[in-house]
Structures are given as structure tokens and as C-alpha cells.
Amino acid sequence: MTTKNIELVKNSWALVAVMDMETVGGLFYNRLFEIAPEVKFMFSKTAMPEQSKKLLTMLSYVIAKLDKLEDIIDEVAKLAQRHEGYGVKADHYTAVGTALLFTLEQGLGTQWNKELRAAWTEVYTVLSEAMINAAKVAA
């Protein structure tokens, strides 16, 4: 990940992080369930407002540590292993990435641009690949 892309992601996330968690989470999960309805069952045990808060809290934590990813790589691996236990498959990460980019675009409005999209895509790709690889190792 480039330093510039990490900075772009952190700065844009700061704008999203102050938005209402339930609204942001609702955008994300509604889009996710539209493009990957087969994952909806994975979220049946947790109320969506609570799930939204968990998602945004985890994203905030990971984004804050992007420039020191080695400090959290073990936590990312454990997160991947938990997700595998919920039934998450490697191809689900693509749908999650698509839903995340959609949510950011909606939330950031006119501030969203090609440069931000590229930065977020790079960061998400690195993180999702780390999670996919961690799940493979655990299997």
C-alpha cells in the first residue's frame, strides 16, 4: 500500500466515521444483501444496528493502523478465521468490497473520486487477500 493511498483512506474514513453508524451500516448491508443474498443468513443472529456498529468499529480500528499493518496482522488473521467459521468463502470478499465502495461513494458524495476509489480498492485488496490467505492456512 502506498503512503498516499493510506493517507487518502484515513482522511476519507474520518469523514465517514462521524456519520450515523446505523445509516452507514444500513447502506453497506443493504447493498451487500442485494449483490450477495446468499450471505444474509450469516447475519441472522445479530440485529443490524449492532452489526453495523461492529463493522464500523472494526473498520475504524484497522484503518487507524494501516501504516503499521504488521502490528495487527495477527488480529486480521484471527478475524478471518472467525469469518470462516461463520461460513464466509473467498468469493464473498469481492461482494463485501463492492458493497464497501458503494457505501463510501454514497456517504462521501461529491468528495468521492477516482483517486479515492483507487486508494480504497488497493487497501481493501491488501486486507481481503490477507484474510483469505489466513483462512486458507487455518483450514
Side-chain angles (χ1 to χ4, degrees):
M1 293 182 286
T2 68
T3 302
K4 183 177 182 178
N5 282 350
I6 290 171
E7 182 180 321
L8 286 168
V9 166
K10 284 185 171 196
N11 290 341
S12 60
W13 184 253
L15 300 172
V16 175
V18 296
M19 296 176 185
D20 180 69
M21 286 184 165
E22 289 183 34
T23 301
V24 175
L27 270 171
F28 173 82
Y29 285 109
N30 286 337
R31 183 67 179 140
L32 179 62
F33 299 153
E34 283 175 15
I35 58 178
E38 71 277 9
V39 304
K40 193 170 186 174
F41 82 93
M42 295 179 204
F43 301 93
S44 61
K45 294 182 181 179
T46 306
M48 277 298 111
E50 182 182 340
Q51 186 63 41
S52 295
K53 289 176 185 173
K54 286 180 178 182
L55 170 70
L56 297 178
T57 299
M58 179 55 71
L59 282 171
S60 291
Y61 175 75
V62 170
I63 290 166
K65 303 276 188 174
L66 282 177
D67 49 356
K68 296 177 184 163
L69 202 52
E70 64 278 0
D71 292 351
I72 62 164
I73 203 67
D74 288 341
E75 292 173 79
V76 169
K78 288 176 186 172
L79 180 66
Q81 292 162 4
R82 283 195 308 272
H83 279 81
E84 186 180 37
Y86 302 142
V88 173
K89 305 291 182 216
D91 61 325
H92 293 147
Y93 287 93
T94 301
V96 169
T98 300
L100 177 62
L101 292 175
F102 171 83
T103 303
L104 293 164
E105 181 178 5
Q106 297 302 304
L108 293 170
T110 58
Q111 295 174 10
W112 184 251
N113 57 44
K114 289 180 183 179
E115 187 177 38
L116 271 181
R117 181 179 189 83
W120 274 96
T121 299
E122 179 191 33
V123 167
Y124 180 76
T125 300
V126 167
L127 290 171
S128 64
E129 286 176 357
M131 290 181 72
I132 291 167
N133 290 334
K136 286 179 187 175
V137 169

